[in-house]
Amino acid sequence: MSKTEVPPGTARAVRVAAGDLVRVVDVDGGQVGDVFAFAVSGPELTEHHSAAHTRAGIDRLFPAVGESFVTDRRRPILTLVEDTSPGEHDMLIPACDPARYTALGAPGHRSCAANLREALADEGLGFTGPTPQPINVFMRVPVGEDGRLNWLTANSRPGDAVTLRAEMDCVVVVSACPQDLVRISDAGLSPLAIETVHNGGTRS
């Protein structure tokens, strides 16, 4: 198993093949992570996971264990195979971006949207489209009976993790969300980790 540290407020990318397992670990607990997945077929990325297409395919706000996230071409890209956290995640809220922080009075603040592109560039990959709506692991934004969204603090514990199986060759990006103006992460920012297992063995 290989392990990639994701420092607070930054992102890292890992390349995986179909059948590989990707585990996103909340190291200290209470940290939201934005997860993105892109099909890899060359240096330019054109197909990615889609929160909207996934919701339409599974008829729920977030997949249950055994269900898949699909791409904007409606193809399975990741399957949720295990979840040791309390199981509260989000797939409604977009990635934080420079405009969000400018509106909050913090221009120049780090963002998941910028983190995504930095992490892809580090892998020699380009993506010029709009930022995909992320898979927000450990993020608690329940929908009330009146339809309003409730922004709650993450309740994941140290070592909690979600494990995803790649259904195609892809690059997975994990951003340890830098949002510290709205308290979605508990007690400030903390790291995440990405653990990768290649078809039951070790991926270097």
Side-chain angles (χ1 to χ4, degrees):
M1 179 179 69
S2 66
K3 185 174 181 177
T4 301
E5 299 287 348
V6 186
T10 72
R12 297 291 185 269
V14 295
R15 293 178 186 248
V16 293
D20 288 359
L21 298 179
V22 179
R23 183 174 296 113
V24 181
V25 183
D26 188 352
V27 177
D28 296 333
Q31 174 62 47
V32 168
D34 285 32
V35 179
F36 306 87
F38 295 80
V40 176
S41 57
E44 293 297 324
L45 304 174
T46 59
E47 182 180 4
H48 55 79
H49 82 280
S50 168
H53 291 84
T54 298
R55 293 193 301 267
I58 62 173
D59 293 326
R60 66 171 81 234
L61 292 177
F62 198 90
V65 170
E67 295 181 330
S68 295
F69 302 89
V70 302
T71 72
D72 50 338
R73 300 179 188 175
R74 301 185 189 270
R75 299 198 300 160
I77 187 168
L78 297 171
T79 296
L80 180 61
V81 297
E82 186 180 24
D83 184 358
T84 64
S85 79
E88 295 188 75
H89 311 287
D90 167 74
M91 215 163 53
L92 292 175
I93 303 302
C96 58
D97 53 29
R100 170 71 161 150
Y101 290 109
T102 297
L104 290 172
H109 196 288
R110 291 196 66 88
S111 70
C112 286
N115 285 350
L116 168 64
R117 284 165 168 75
E118 289 177 8
L120 291 176
D122 287 344
E123 290 293 311
L125 297 168
F127 179 67
T128 58
T131 303
Q133 188 174 357
I135 300 162
N136 294 311
V137 295
F138 315 126
M139 186 172 179
R140 301 171 66 206
V141 187
V143 181
E145 291 185 2
D146 60 356
R148 293 190 63 84
L149 301 178
N150 298 291
W151 295 73
L152 306 180
T153 302
N155 63 356
S156 45
R157 303 151 301 200
D160 278 352
V162 293
T163 303
L164 307 163
R165 183 181 64 240
E167 302 299 341
M168 62 175 72
D169 295 351
C170 59
V171 58
V172 176
V173 177
V174 177
S175 176
C177 183
Q179 176 60 272
D180 54 2
L181 304 178
V182 176
R183 196 180 176 197
I184 55 171
S185 292
D186 190 28
L189 306 180
S190 59
L192 297 175
I194 310 168
E195 298 176 350
T196 309
V197 179
H198 178 55
N199 288 322
T202 301
R203 183 177 180 83
S204 59

